[in-house]
Every structure is written in structure tokens, then in C-alpha cells.
Amino acid sequence: MPSPLQWMSVSLILLGVFFFIAGTIGLLRLPDLFSRLHALTKADNLGLGLVILGLLPWVPDVFYALKLLLIWLLVLMAGATGAHLIAKRALRGDGEDLHSS
């Protein structure tokens, strides 16, 4: 019989997967660049955080837990930086024309 810790881990991982799927749907369905960036960065960062929290009880030692948390921190910074650069370029208008068909 699964322990409460296993149920919690599986629940957190499934919730993280839900946010990944929600972010992907937001990327595909939202109307403009800024809405898509917002949906994707927020949902994916939260999804990754929940997946990592679900995995933390199963790591063999603290070193592996710190590596997982460092990966999450680096993805948070990279996602925010990438979204900022994309939005800044779109506002300046020096990229591709996103509104032409």
C-alpha cells in the first residue's frame, strides 16, 4: 500500500504536469505574443517547481536535492530573461512582423 509520502509526491508531479499542459495550451491558444509569453513562463516555472518538489523526497542525499533546486533556479532565471528579451524586442518592433499573414 502506498504511503502518504508517495501519494503527496505523485500528486505534486501530476499537478506540475497539469501546469505544463496548461502553459502549452496557453502558448497555442492565446491571441498575442505578450499573453503567450506570460502564460508559458508562469505555468512552466510553476510546473517545474511542483515536479521538483514531488521528486525531492526520493533523492538519495542532500547533494542531489541541491542540484534539483539549482536547476529550478536556473530555469526560473533563464525563462524570465528570455521572456523579457522577447517582449523588449517585440515592443521595439525590430524583429519579424508578427501580425502579417
Side-chain angles (χ1 to χ4, degrees):
M1 181 165 185
S3 70
L5 183 63
Q6 289 172 328
W7 283 111
M8 184 185 70
S9 288
V10 169
S11 299
L12 286 170
I13 291 169
L14 289 176
L15 191 59
V17 169
F18 168 77
F19 277 100
F20 279 130
I21 292 169
T24 302
I25 291 171
L27 176 67
L28 297 174
R29 301 280 305 186
L30 290 173
D32 65 339
L33 174 74
F34 302 108
S35 298
R36 290 190 298 263
L37 275 175
H38 178 75
L40 189 62
T41 55
K42 300 301 179 200
D44 282 354
N45 288 335
L46 181 59
L48 181 62
L50 290 169
V51 168
I52 287 177
L53 285 176
L55 293 175
L56 281 179
W58 306 107
V59 296
D61 61 11
V62 177
F63 183 67
Y64 288 99
L66 290 175
K67 283 203 278 188
L68 283 175
L69 293 173
L70 180 63
I71 289 169
W72 185 28
L73 179 66
L74 291 173
V75 169
L76 283 172
M77 291 188 316
T81 303
H84 175 77
L85 291 173
I86 291 169
K88 187 175 175 182
R89 185 166 180 182
L91 282 174
R92 280 194 312 206
D94 63 352
E96 294 179 22
D97 186 14
L98 299 174
H99 300 289
S100 65
S101 296

